[in-house]
Amino acid sequence: MRSGIKLEWSGYVWLHRLLDSVLPVAVLVLITKFFSVPWHDRYSLLGLIGGFIFVTLNQFIGTYERWKGRSFSTSIRMVFKSWLITWVLLVIIAFMFKRSVEYSRLVTFNWAFVTFLVLVGYRGGIRLFLAYYRKKGLHVRKVAIVGAGKIGCCLADIMQKNSYLGYRVVGFYDDNQKMCSRRPGGITLCGDTKQAVRDAQEGKFHELYLCLSLGAEERIIALLNELADSSVIVKYVPDFFAFDLLHAQWGDLKGIPVVSVYDSPMSSTSARCIKRIEDIVIASLIMLVVWPLMALIAIGVKLSSPGPVFYRQTRVGWNGQPFTILKFRTMVVHSEDGIVTQATSDDKRVTRFGRLLRKTSLDELPQLINVLCGQMSLVGPRPHALLHHEYYNRLIDKYMQRHLIKPGLTGYAQINGLRGETRTVDQMAMRVEKDRYYISNWSLMMDLKIIIVSALRGWTNKNAY
């Protein structure tokens, strides 16, 4: 019978859940007392429902899973996301049941702000306590590492820099003595793998991490068989540095650990919902502001040359599916005869008014309609025409991975100077690399940063013709 592989469990997870449930109520009590607002059952209900929603969201997005191995900044972002959604849901519920007038706005807004600080603060406090506690040598586990390659050194470096984890690396073991010249922090070289087995049997450390390459299967199996004669805990760290990962993450399928080597942030339902809400809200606000300008541009396009206001073209979108993109027409009406040619600096097809629109990116404004229709996102890789897609797909490695997320009106590549005409394949390859970086590191905050930068400096570009 197959035995399942379980996720590592930490008792602090239950402490987090308990505090996340109780603290919103406790903070609400203190806020009402501070502002001398009479306590009422409705405030008890607000705090309890808020705590329940917050804990549920944290469970859903994985805030409680493997928190010790996560950076504190990442934990802050996850807590912020959960608390923000909790706050929005509470506001929606209050308006739906017409109870919002029963709550003091002074109390509720201060409660939202202070509770977030408290939720982040106690998490930081736990980490500081654990770091202090373990620097004293209390409840520290001695760890040895087999394999002084890149993954082994990276693991040792993490353990040394994060004392709150409770690990002390006592030494490296490697059959290749040359590898050990890269040992971080002066960690002792204790010998080869045979010595590692002997030291394990003598109980010189509590845990042994095997950091060997994925190709060393026979060597790993032999080591595991020999280590079975010791009481040391053995952990295997696969060397994924050999892969060019894209939004890689661990998963679990009925007890079987699964690694997504190439993945999309949009695989998560919560991520898709957040990005869709972001698109609808921001695109709607922009449309409310710019529709008079769009009307004037439409008139200008009509007066500049005969033809339609909008230019429609089939481009490749999310998951490689085609869609029709909208732009203000900037060229004279012409037949492409199955050949899509990028505009150049002296392109005779571009009208005088169209050149102004291209220089200021105002020809892209109709794509807000594509965003609201769900065909595009505000931020993402710029979509390419079908012929360009087929051409570059044959020449550029991992080109198709840029379609693991919706195409965008602006993107990470564009704010880094890779906008407009691409004269060489190398230039397009650089753009693809920026697109892959964006997909691998996507977050709501990253989207907002790109939108702000695009708004501040993205309206003019020397490469836009």
Side-chain angles (χ1 to χ4, degrees):
M1 183 178 179
R2 180 184 62 81
S3 58
I5 301 177
K6 300 177 181 179
L7 292 174
E8 193 170 22
W9 181 85
S10 170
Y12 284 101
V13 168
W14 289 103
L15 176 62
H16 281 306
R17 290 192 181 106
L18 176 63
L19 292 175
D20 287 346
S21 302
V22 173
L23 285 176
V25 182
V27 173
L28 189 55
V29 171
L30 294 175
I31 293 291
T32 55
K33 288 186 179 296
F34 182 81
F35 290 107
S36 301
V37 174
W39 183 261
H40 194 275
D41 288 344
R42 60 177 174 269
Y43 286 110
S44 300
L45 186 63
L46 177 67
L48 290 171
I49 293 176
F52 173 77
I53 294 175
F54 180 63
V55 171
T56 303
L57 287 172
N58 277 327
Q59 189 68 43
F60 182 68
I61 69 174
T63 307
Y64 300 128
E65 295 177 9
R66 298 181 288 275
W67 69 274
K68 288 194 296 183
R70 186 187 303 132
S71 68
F72 188 52
S73 60
T74 302
S75 293
I76 292 175
R77 286 196 296 270
M78 296 178 81
V79 170
F80 175 76
K81 183 191 298 184
S82 296
W83 185 242
L84 178 63
I85 296 173
T86 299
W87 174 247
V88 171
L89 289 175
L90 288 173
V91 171
I92 292 172
I93 292 170
F95 274 103
M96 284 178 60
F97 289 94
K98 300 180 180 179
R99 306 294 293 270
S100 57
V101 294
E102 298 178 3
Y103 296 94
S104 165
R105 292 185 181 181
L106 183 64
V107 168
T108 51
F109 279 104
N110 277 279
W111 173 63
F113 178 70
V114 175
T115 301
F116 170 69
L117 296 181
V118 171
L119 292 169
V120 170
Y122 93 76
R123 283 173 163 82
I126 287 177
R127 291 190 181 228
L128 290 173
F129 169 76
L130 290 176
Y132 174 79
Y133 179 73
R134 279 158 177 168
K135 277 182 180 178
K136 297 288 186 180
L138 303 172
H139 197 61
V140 173
R141 299 186 68 79
K142 296 179 182 178
V143 169
I145 298 175
V146 172
K150 187 174 182 180
I151 187 65
C153 291
C154 181
L155 179 66
D157 189 52
I158 290 171
M159 289 180 173
Q160 285 187 313
K161 290 181 178 178
N162 298 276
S163 56
Y164 73 92
L165 293 172
Y167 297 116
R168 180 164 66 86
V169 183
V170 297
F172 273 110
Y173 296 88
D174 201 306
D175 292 331
N176 184 355
Q177 302 300 304
K178 293 181 180 179
M179 295 290 289
C180 297
S181 61
R182 297 186 296 179
R183 289 174 288 125
I187 298 173
T188 306
L189 171 62
C190 299
D192 56 15
T193 52
K194 292 182 179 179
Q195 185 63 46
V197 173
R198 288 193 292 268
D199 288 350
Q201 292 171 344
E202 294 175 10
K204 291 187 176 180
F205 40 79
H206 300 108
E207 296 182 9
L208 180 65
Y209 284 76
L210 301 181
C211 300
L212 302 174
S213 66
L214 294 172
E217 183 180 353
E218 292 184 4
R219 186 179 172 198
I220 293 168
I221 293 173
L223 264 173
L224 291 174
N225 288 333
E226 294 178 45
L227 290 167
D229 292 328
S230 72
S231 60
V232 166
I233 294 173
V234 180
K235 298 183 179 182
Y236 174 58
V237 183
D239 185 4
F240 287 113
F241 282 107
F243 301 110
D244 183 10
L245 307 177
L246 184 75
H247 198 75
Q249 54 189 331
W250 281 101
D252 179 80
L253 186 62
K254 293 293 184 180
I256 300 176
V258 179
V259 178
S260 296
V261 178
Y262 299 142
D263 206 339
S264 165
M266 297 302 105
S267 296
S268 164
T269 303
S270 60
R272 286 199 303 274
C273 289
I274 290 169
K275 193 160 177 64
R276 186 64 185 137
I277 292 170
E278 168 201 335
D279 287 338
I280 292 172
V281 172
I282 299 179
S284 298
L285 292 174
I286 296 173
M287 284 287 282
L288 287 173
V289 174
V290 303
W291 74 263
L293 176 61
M294 291 178 68
L296 291 174
I297 292 173
I299 295 171
V301 172
K302 266 297 186 184
L303 295 175
S304 64
S305 67
V309 170
F310 294 120
Y311 171 70
R312 293 175 170 84
Q313 186 183 59
T314 301
R315 297 206 177 180
V316 182
W318 193 15
N319 293 324
Q321 298 300 309
F323 73 100
T324 301
I325 197 172
L326 295 175
K327 300 177 72 173
F328 282 121
R329 182 174 57 84
T330 58
M331 295 183 177
V332 295
V333 176
H334 63 281
S335 176
E336 294 182 336
D337 296 324
I339 300 175
V340 181
T341 306
Q342 289 183 322
T344 58
S345 58
D346 57 349
D347 202 314
K348 303 300 183 184
R349 299 171 300 168
V350 181
T351 66
R352 184 177 298 178
F353 185 65
R355 198 171 300 279
L356 173 64
L357 294 180
R358 284 173 172 267
K359 280 288 184 182
T360 56
S361 298
L362 292 174
D363 62 319
E364 311 284 358
L365 286 178
Q367 289 163 42
L368 290 168
I369 300 171
N370 291 114
V371 173
L372 292 173
C373 291
Q375 299 162 325
M376 292 177 63
S377 177
L378 285 171
V379 182
R382 286 294 294 158
H384 294 161
L386 285 172
L387 291 176
H388 290 159
H389 166 80
E390 293 170 2
Y391 174 74
Y392 289 118
N393 190 29
R394 293 193 299 267
L395 299 176
I396 299 175
D397 192 31
K398 301 180 179 67
Y399 175 85
M400 277 299 296
Q401 289 182 345
R402 68 194 304 275
H403 301 299
L404 287 171
I405 201 167
K406 284 183 182 180
L409 198 151
T410 185
Y412 185 71
Q414 283 64 47
I415 66 168
N416 281 279
L418 297 170
R419 173 179 170 249
E421 182 188 9
T422 48
R423 296 185 177 87
T424 66
V425 174
D426 287 342
Q427 286 179 322
M428 182 59 74
M430 290 171 61
R431 182 181 289 187
V432 171
E433 274 306 302
K434 295 295 184 183
D435 291 337
R436 293 182 72 249
Y437 177 86
Y438 167 74
I439 294 171
S440 191
N441 296 277
W442 174 84
S443 69
L444 176 61
M445 296 306 295
M446 188 178 190
D447 270 4
L448 295 177
K449 177 183 176 182
I450 292 172
I451 291 170
I452 293 170
V453 172
S454 298
L456 292 177
R457 71 183 188 196
W459 296 107
T460 57
N461 189 291
K462 63 182 180 181
N463 295 323
Y465 306 125

